[in-house]
Amino acid sequence: MHNLITDVRGLLVGQADDVAAATGVTAVVFERPTVASAAVLGGAPGTRETALLIPEMTVEHVDAIVLSGGSAWGLGAADGVMRWLAREGRGFPVGAFRVPIVPQAILFDLTNGGEKPWARGDGETPYGELGAKATAAASTSFALGTAGAGFGATTANLKGGIGSASARAATGQVVGALVAVNAVGTATIGDGPHFWAAPYERDGEFGGLGWPATIAPADTALRLKGGTGQNTTIALVATDAVLTKAQARRLALAAHDGLARALRPAHAPLDGDVVFAAATGQSGAPSDAFALTELCAAAADVLARAVARGVHAATALPFPGARPAWRDRFGS
């Protein structure tokens, strides 16, 4: 176990960045077609192919899931992922063709100081190329913090980023989370270094500070950034259990509790919070509803931890007015 989503057997993660544009793409590539679903609880989502993840829809499996910056322009990242997978012969069979199934969610990072001329209609976006590069780079190890879809991400007070965590559930099966933290609110309490996710921390993975001795009313006051659509936290939780599409949907819904534990606020009208859920099926199915509940609880916990790890690991962008990183303000 390396405390990454890739501890779940059957998936790999690749990332690609555009440093000048301060944006990037994270691609999760499944080693074989995988059951997946999603839950969208934010008020301003940007997504692709999420309708087919509804349990009653025909397609049962996906080939990859993409998280990206770029707002709606970033949805082109899935094109690059599809091209790469098509060359590998992956996809849903339709006559003589195979169509790779690649759901995606995006976050807003247009105003973080990077150069994004395509957002003014000048030139092509880099996201197709970034998607292909991220897919080609997929492996069991990947960077946290300012990388991939989290490269340009921020929170209300600190730099956001890519986070990941994993755990073995009480069922014995592995559950992992991957998240790009770009929240309208905060992952930390008040003006201090403590994370809202502190009760779920393991082995000092984001500083080992716990909660502060007291939490004053001022610490719970909302701290918000940006305007409509300028936020969004997007995530994937995965397990090596065998799940149905409906059970994967339940896992995604339960995992949203992790966002609510780690961010204040979550699921706001100004957020587009999306959680995908995938089951690679390399261990047994949950024995009953109680076992599925244990998987759901583990998914919420690892997602809360992943959020804090993403902020804790981030480095600040080199632009005037850029939000400071947690490490800049509070040390390593």
Side-chain angles (χ1 to χ4, degrees):
M1 300 283 284
H2 296 92
N3 202 20
L4 298 172
I5 194 173
T6 46
D7 289 326
V8 176
R9 293 173 295 165
L11 64 83
L12 303 171
V13 174
Q15 303 192 104
D17 317 318
D18 185 324
V19 176
T23 191
V25 172
T26 300
V28 180
V29 182
F30 298 102
E31 294 178 348
R32 63 188 185 193
T34 295
V35 169
S37 191
V40 181
L41 297 187
T47 59
R48 171 171 169 161
E49 299 278 40
T50 50
L52 64 78
L53 299 178
I54 298 170
E56 66 266 26
M57 297 303 183
T58 299
V59 174
E60 290 287 332
H61 302 91
V62 304
D63 298 294
I65 288 175
V66 180
L67 309 179
S68 174
S71 189
W73 282 276
L75 290 172
D79 292 340
V81 178
M82 288 182 68
R83 287 195 299 271
W84 194 94
L85 291 170
R87 288 194 293 268
E88 297 295 310
R90 297 285 303 273
F92 184 79
V94 183
F97 300 96
R98 286 186 172 271
V99 180
I101 305 300
V102 184
Q104 181 183 354
I106 51 88
L107 56 80
F108 184 96
D109 60 5
L110 299 183
T111 57
N112 60 16
E115 300 173 4
K116 303 178 179 70
W118 63 85
R120 298 184 296 272
D122 184 9
E124 299 296 321
T125 81
Y127 291 102
E129 181 180 356
L130 289 173
K133 286 182 177 179
T135 309
S139 70
T140 56
S141 62
F142 57 96
L144 301 185
T146 303
F151 195 97
T154 59
T155 71
N157 60 337
L158 296 171
K159 179 72 176 68
I162 282 283
S164 190
S166 67
R168 193 173 298 278
T171 61
Q173 291 150 327
V174 177
V175 179
L178 175 73
V179 61
V181 185
N182 190 58
V184 68
T186 63
T188 52
I189 301 171
D191 291 319
H194 305 272
F195 287 92
W196 290 111
Y200 309 97
E201 185 176 13
R202 295 191 178 186
D203 301 322
E205 61 193 339
F206 42 87
L209 302 176
W211 270 2
T214 59
I215 298 178
D219 295 330
T220 61
L222 292 182
R223 298 161 186 245
L224 305 177
K225 80 169 194 207
T228 303
Q230 294 188 23
N231 312 290
T232 295
T233 297
I234 49 180
L236 166 69
V237 293
T239 177
D240 59 2
V242 176
L243 298 182
T244 66
K245 205 172 172 186
Q247 289 172 324
R249 161 77 173 169
R250 178 54 52 189
L251 192 73
L253 283 166
H256 270 284
D257 290 349
L259 296 186
R261 294 169 188 169
L263 296 168
R264 180 170 173 82
H267 310 132
L270 303 178
D271 277 323
D273 295 345
V274 178
V275 176
F276 296 101
T280 63
Q282 299 205 19
S283 66
S287 56
D288 55 25
F290 289 100
L292 179 60
T293 299
E294 289 171 336
L295 289 178
C296 288
D301 290 350
V302 296
L303 184 49
R305 292 165 48 209
V307 168
R309 291 193 81 200
V311 175
H312 181 258
T315 54
L317 296 175
F319 304 122
R323 282 179 175 77
W326 186 93
R327 293 166 187 258
D328 294 336
R329 289 200 57 192
F330 305 116
S332 60

